Amino acid sequence: MSYGASLMAVAFVADPRGSWRVERQEAIVGEGLAVSTGIAVIEGAPGAGPAALPAAISEQGWRLTGMISHLRYTSGAERSALGAKSAPLGRVEALHAALLPIRKSPEWWALPQDERRAIYEEQSRHTSIGMEYLPRIARRLHHSRDLGEPFDFLTWFEFAPAHAAAFDELVGRLRASEEWAYVEREVDIRLVRES
Amino acid sequence: MSYGASLMAVAFVADPRGSWRVERQEAIVGEGLAVSTGIAVIEGAPGAGPAALPAAISEQGWRLTGMISHLRYTSGAERSALGAKSAPLGRVEALHAALLPIRKSPEWWALPQDERRAIYEEQSRHTSIGMEYLPRIARRLHHSRDLGEPFDFLTWFEFAPAHAAAFDELVGRLRASEEWAYVEREVDIRLVRES
């Protein structure tokens, strides 16, 4: 994956004809989302905003939109380490995916940058923990908060079936961290690529 | 001004019937903007996204949209100092305003958080310089980058006529800073409140 600064809008849409089949779905914290049999991932043109995203094939129900954007907490050293270990999306063996929409609390967003960074990494080791699972678990983050969306982040993961247990371990460790005390809504959607 | 985390969408619209009259306008770096006789400032409902913003009275020409959002570089100590000195928008004596839409370069956005912070404050003293002009110059920042807008930030200032020279000094000092080497588009629009 790229850790550059390119902007791209992405929508995740409840769509029975989407290319990812929903295997299971759970509301981890707060209100859930209506369950669809499938999810479509719609990527916009580079640099274009959310308003320019096209519709899905047979869109129905919810649509969550986010922007791939610059990193907010990662230091230069961390980014170099991530870049050396990361995997791209779309690997042929990565038949499993997870969409985890997350909203943090007003208390989180009221913290200044240095305190959010300290909780994120020095206390919760978010980047360090994630790095242990690279390149097995590919990840892409979409920022939604400034779009007035119901979630702040849409986190997307892709991995081979053999690494599903490792993914469960990863999310379990993050959910046990100090940072997750500030998560007030989280839905966990597990997906399998339609062949 | 509040340094909290409340989200609010704001549009600045070329509108001859807007409540701010354009006194002068200059393209500082890069392409300018069409000159309108007036500008309307349209504020959305708390928490609502840019798509929910209403139209201006007689909108014509450009519309720039941004989100009031959480602070990205300010430390807890800096935020406390800012909060103690800041002034709100809408003061009766603040008959002058300035709208400075700014876009930074891909090189800026490709820098990791710690390097952007170091250029912003340790090298360029952005917050420290701005603080010298508080409470004379009230400021509100709107984030546009993740909206796919032509600018990354819409910076809005309000001040009494007696402080117009101080405002010129403030923007002059910031434009001479290391941070401004990363500004690739900036328009300077000076406004007077319609009585």
Side-chain angles (χ1 to χ4, degrees):
Chain A
M1 110 172 230
S2 158
Y3 290 93
S6 305
L7 285 174
M8 188 170 79
V10 180
F12 298 90
V13 182
D15 177 357
R17 294 175 63 187
S19 56
W20 293 91
R21 179 168 50 78
V22 176
E23 196 181 48
R24 63 179 201 275
Q25 181 171 323
E26 192 181 351
I28 304 296
V29 189
E31 192 188 352
L33 278 172
V35 178
S36 169
T37 53
I39 286 181
V41 182
I42 302 173
E43 300 186 344
L53 280 169
I57 298 172
S58 56
E59 189 160 342
Q60 58 177 43
W62 48 264
R63 159 180 277 241
L64 300 175
T65 303
M67 287 294 275
I68 301 173
S69 186
H70 59 284
L71 295 171
R72 311 296 162 96
Y73 300 110
T74 313
S75 71
E78 288 160 359
R79 192 175 66 175
S80 298
L82 283 168
K85 283 193 75 179
S86 293
L89 299 187
R91 292 172 295 175
V92 290
E93 71 274 21
L95 299 171
H96 285 202
L99 173 63
L100 278 74
I102 288 170
R103 187 176 71 222
K104 286 180 172 167
S105 65
E107 290 69 31
W108 172 263
W109 294 112
L111 293 172
Q113 175 73 25
D114 54 344
E115 294 180 26
R116 279 184 277 113
R117 156 73 198 189
I119 294 167
Y120 179 91
E121 188 57 28
E122 281 70 25
Q123 294 175 42
S124 302
R125 299 181 43 78
H126 189 134
T127 297
S128 307
I129 290 173
M131 219 176 309
E132 293 179 37
Y133 298 87
L134 295 175
R136 291 172 289 169
I137 314 287
R139 170 182 178 272
R140 194 168 75 181
L141 179 62
H142 313 80
H143 297 266
S144 297
R145 178 170 153 81
D146 283 359
L147 308 182
E149 287 273 317
F151 295 93
D152 294 333
F153 307 102
L154 310 173
T155 319
W156 177 260
F157 302 89
E158 289 181 10
F159 44 91
H163 297 138
F167 180 72
D168 286 336
E169 183 185 277
L170 166 60
V171 295
R173 290 174 68 186
L174 289 173
R175 285 177 187 149
S177 73
E178 172 68 15
E179 183 191 353
W180 248 252
Y182 296 91
V183 171
E184 64 173 25
R185 188 176 179 195
E186 179 179 7
V187 181
D188 185 331
I189 306 174
R190 301 300 176 94
L191 304 146
V192 176
R193 194 195 299 270
E194 291 287 5
S195 54
Chain B
M1 107 173 233
S2 159
Y3 289 94
S6 306
L7 286 174
M8 187 171 79
V10 181
F12 297 90
V13 183
D15 177 356
R17 293 176 61 187
S19 56
W20 292 92
R21 179 170 47 81
V22 176
E23 197 180 48
R24 62 180 202 274
Q25 180 171 325
E26 191 182 352
I28 304 296
V29 189
E31 192 188 349
L33 278 172
V35 178
S36 168
T37 52
I39 285 181
V41 182
I42 302 173
E43 299 186 346
L53 280 169
I57 299 173
S58 55
E59 190 160 342
Q60 59 178 40
W62 49 262
R63 159 180 277 243
L64 299 174
T65 303
M67 286 294 274
I68 300 173
S69 186
H70 59 284
L71 296 171
R72 311 297 163 94
Y73 299 111
T74 312
S75 72
E78 288 159 359
R79 193 175 64 174
S80 298
L82 283 168
K85 284 193 73 178
S86 293
L89 299 187
R91 292 172 295 175
V92 289
E93 71 274 20
L95 300 171
H96 285 203
L99 173 63
L100 278 74
I102 288 170
R103 187 175 71 221
K104 286 178 171 170
S105 65
E107 291 69 31
W108 172 263
W109 294 112
L111 293 172
Q113 176 73 25
D114 54 344
E115 294 179 28
R116 278 183 278 113
R117 156 74 198 189
I119 295 166
Y120 179 91
E121 188 56 28
E122 281 70 26
Q123 294 175 43
S124 302
R125 299 180 44 76
H126 189 133
T127 297
S128 307
I129 290 173
M131 218 174 309
E132 293 179 37
Y133 298 87
L134 295 175
R136 292 172 289 169
I137 314 288
R139 170 182 179 271
R140 193 167 75 181
L141 179 63
H142 312 81
H143 297 266
S144 297
R145 178 170 154 80
D146 283 0
L147 308 182
E149 287 273 317
F151 294 92
D152 294 333
F153 307 102
L154 309 173
T155 319
W156 176 261
F157 303 88
E158 289 181 10
F159 44 91
H163 298 138
F167 181 71
D168 286 335
E169 182 184 276
L170 166 61
V171 295
R173 289 174 69 186
L174 289 173
R175 285 177 186 148
S177 73
E178 173 67 16
E179 183 190 354
W180 247 251
Y182 296 91
V183 171
E184 66 173 23
R185 189 177 181 196
E186 179 180 7
V187 181
D188 186 331
I189 307 174
R190 301 299 175 96
L191 303 146
V192 176
R193 194 195 299 270
E194 291 288 4
S195 54

